[in-house]
Amino acid sequence: ILRNVTLSHLSGNLRDRNAHERTMKAMLGVNITSTSAMFIIVLVFLNVICSMYGETFNGLRLVIITQAFCAIVVSTSNVYAQEFMSRGANWSVFFCRLIRDIAALLISYFVILLVQGYGALILSLSLLVMNIAYLVALYVINKLHFREIK
């Protein structure tokens, strides 16, 4: 729901740079705050969540922490992706996401081949790293390209 709201607001005020930047900051703030709150809730109830799976799931705590933190990164990058889409750069988002996802799969695959027994953790870490790289790429491209457009 927030993605559609974000896209609508960003598309609606493209001509007013100040309003557009205020909308970006507000949406980033809402997304970071809400996902950070959920991250904290997951951390608080981590033992309860882990106990539901039992003792046999090796490395569950780290997987849950990694994925809960990854949600903050993904939520933030979604705001930047909506910024791109509001400016008609849908293909840029597509290719950035394609590279991110293929890289995450390849990294996971090859590391899992090398390190047996930690597949879920390796995939979680791979996704986190690639989502951070994706967020940084969107941020840099946004600062370098879109800020020049008035």
Side-chain angles (χ1 to χ4, degrees):
I1 295 172
L2 277 181
R3 280 198 279 188
N4 293 336
V5 171
T6 302
L7 182 57
S8 175
H9 283 286
L10 289 173
S11 297
N13 61 20
L14 276 174
R15 298 190 191 282
D16 183 353
R17 184 176 181 162
N18 290 331
H20 191 79
E21 288 185 11
R22 278 193 312 272
T23 301
M24 272 294 289
K25 287 179 184 176
M27 293 300 175
L28 284 168
V30 166
N31 278 273
I32 291 170
T33 302
S34 61
T35 53
S36 294
M38 297 312 298
F39 175 71
I40 292 168
I41 290 170
V42 167
L43 289 181
V44 168
F45 292 104
L46 186 60
N47 288 334
V48 174
I49 295 168
C50 289
S51 70
M52 290 180 199
Y53 287 91
E55 298 295 321
T56 59
F57 196 110
N58 188 21
L60 178 63
R61 295 177 65 80
L62 286 174
V63 172
I64 291 173
I65 292 168
T66 303
Q67 285 305 293
F69 183 75
C70 194
I72 299 170
V73 177
V74 170
S75 178
T76 305
S77 67
N78 281 337
V79 175
Y80 282 103
Q82 297 307 308
E83 164 77 349
F84 277 60
M85 290 180 197
S86 75
R87 296 183 184 273
N90 298 17
W91 284 106
S92 297
V93 173
F94 170 77
F95 285 115
C96 285
R97 284 181 176 167
L98 182 66
I99 291 167
R100 174 199 66 189
D101 294 344
I102 290 172
L105 286 172
L106 289 175
I107 290 168
S108 297
Y109 177 76
F110 289 114
V111 174
I112 288 170
L113 286 178
L114 294 172
V115 181
Q116 301 290 321
Y118 297 98
L121 180 59
I122 291 168
L123 180 59
S124 293
L125 290 172
S126 175
L127 289 170
L128 176 61
V129 168
M130 291 315 301
N131 275 302
I132 290 171
Y134 174 66
L135 174 60
V136 169
L138 291 180
Y139 177 81
V140 168
I141 294 168
N142 184 45
K143 289 293 182 189
L144 293 177
H145 180 65
F146 292 138
R147 296 301 175 220
E148 300 299 320
I149 300 171
K150 295 185 180 186

